[in-house]
Amino acid sequence: AVVSTQSGHYGRGGDMMDETEFGYPAPKETVEGDIKKIISYEERDEKYVKVTRFYKLTKLKVPKQISDRKKWKKFGQCATDPPGINPANCMVGDGVFLTLATKKDQEEKKEDGLAEKMTKLKSSGQGMVVCRICKGPHWTKQCPYKDTLGVALDVQQDEASTGKPPTRAPGAYVPPSIRKGEVANDTTRQRDENPTIRVSNLAEETSEKDLQDLFKPFGPVSRIYLAKDKNTGISKGFAYITYNRRESAESALQTLHRYRYGHLILQVEWAKPSGS
């Protein structure tokens, strides 16, 4: 709309006709072709100003409900107004257009998020193999300082593992989760309920600490189970990672599947329920 203003003094005693209750002449509307011209009078800076607005008319196809609503009978002070909008008591705002995101846009946004997490993981070095003794880029069992610095690490681990569980008085209540024969069932039930992924093709030198550093950037990890040989304590090559949220598990699965970790390529998939 094009607006032009012309200042002047217009009062009740002038030669203007069809005055409103505010002392201004009523707005005048004329249509010439596809151009609508509306002349109104307003008060600005303690002066009466003549305002001329030009609108370009366009035809839009609207739903039938909107078309019928325009024919409703007006009420109150607008009962005598003609159909449509009266610029004297109505103000038309800017049109608001709603853009719905398609499935393709959501998938592209999700892929961008995974790529960003992958870049962040590589730049931080959390996805690389780190020695627990010297913090070097190699496995802990292959550390050249294992015989010297490794002794102090073994002592710290022994001191941490010497804590014994508190003894219970005879006849005391024992929760079902820690009763004899119930631990495995409770653990299995919890793994079935929470989002769990299975990672395989792990190196024999992999530890729980390595898996924690690798999978923690995608979200809070509630449990890590690394399968080990009972006699040698060497990793069997697979582990189960349980997350608190399914979105975190999905992000880790899509990012770390076929990810190079050390000298092997990881295989990540959803863990199957127990008994299947």
Side-chain angles (χ1 to χ4, degrees):
V2 180
V3 181
S4 63
T5 60
Q6 179 180 354
S7 62
H9 296 274
Y10 301 87
R12 293 181 180 271
D15 55 354
M16 296 296 177
M17 304 298 294
D18 300 330
E19 294 181 352
T20 63
E21 60 179 344
F22 299 103
Y24 314 147
K28 296 181 180 180
E29 178 180 321
T30 58
V31 178
E32 297 179 1
D34 59 347
I35 303 297
K36 177 190 287 188
K37 178 181 178 181
I38 299 177
I39 301 176
S40 60
Y41 300 88
E42 302 175 1
E43 182 178 359
R44 299 182 182 178
D45 298 332
E46 299 181 355
K47 292 183 179 180
Y48 295 135
V49 180
K50 178 181 178 182
V51 180
T52 305
R53 294 181 172 89
F54 297 88
Y55 297 91
K56 183 176 178 60
L57 302 179
T58 57
K59 292 183 179 180
L60 297 177
K61 188 176 181 180
V62 298
K64 187 175 182 300
Q65 294 82 353
I66 297 179
S67 179
D68 294 340
R69 188 169 61 206
K70 292 181 179 181
K71 301 177 183 178
W72 289 354
K73 185 178 179 180
K74 298 183 179 181
F75 57 90
Q77 297 181 357
C78 300
T80 58
D81 291 347
I85 298 176
N86 187 353
N89 50 36
C90 298
M91 180 179 295
V92 181
D94 297 334
V96 179
F97 301 96
L98 179 62
T99 304
L100 300 177
T102 61
K103 185 176 181 181
K104 182 179 180 181
D105 297 336
Q106 295 178 354
E107 292 178 353
E108 292 178 355
K109 185 176 181 182
K110 191 173 183 179
E111 291 177 359
D112 294 340
L114 293 176
E116 183 179 356
K117 287 184 179 180
M118 199 68 180
T119 304
K120 185 177 180 181
L121 182 66
K122 291 181 178 180
S123 61
S124 61
Q126 292 180 340
M128 305 301 294
V129 178
V130 179
C131 176
R132 289 179 294 162
I133 298 177
C134 66
K135 307 302 179 182
H138 52 260
W139 298 102
T140 303
K141 290 187 177 182
Q142 298 176 354
C143 180
Y145 306 102
K146 182 178 180 181
D147 296 336
T148 56
L149 300 178
V151 177
L153 182 62
D154 294 339
V155 172
Q156 295 178 359
Q157 293 179 349
D158 293 340
E159 292 177 353
S161 61
T162 53
K164 297 181 179 180
T167 58
R168 300 180 182 273
Y173 172 76
V174 180
S177 59
I178 61 175
R179 292 176 185 172
K180 184 177 181 181
E182 296 290 339
V183 177
N185 296 335
D186 183 74
T187 304
T188 304
R189 188 185 309 111
Q190 182 180 6
R191 190 179 69 186
D192 292 343
E193 294 176 355
N194 295 336
T196 303
I197 57 177
R198 183 181 188 272
V199 53
S200 57
N201 205 24
L202 295 172
E204 295 181 351
E205 298 83 0
T206 306
S207 63
E208 288 86 349
K209 180 65 169 54
D210 299 330
L211 297 176
Q212 183 78 13
D213 295 340
L214 180 62
F215 287 91
K216 190 176 181 180
F218 299 95
V221 177
S222 61
R223 180 177 178 272
I224 294 179
Y225 171 74
L226 176 62
K228 297 181 181 179
D229 185 89
K230 295 183 179 179
N231 299 325
T232 61
I234 299 176
S235 169
K236 292 184 178 181
F238 68 93
Y240 292 94
I241 314 297
T242 303
Y243 283 92
N244 294 334
R245 299 177 54 191
R246 186 175 182 84
E247 294 80 2
S248 303
E250 289 180 354
S251 179
L253 188 148
Q254 296 182 11
T255 305
L256 297 180
H257 182 57
R258 299 187 181 279
Y259 174 71
R260 181 178 179 182
Y261 187 66
H263 59 283
L264 299 175
I265 303 298
L266 299 181
Q267 299 292 329
V268 185
E269 60 185 353
W270 287 109
K272 297 180 181 179
S274 58
S276 61

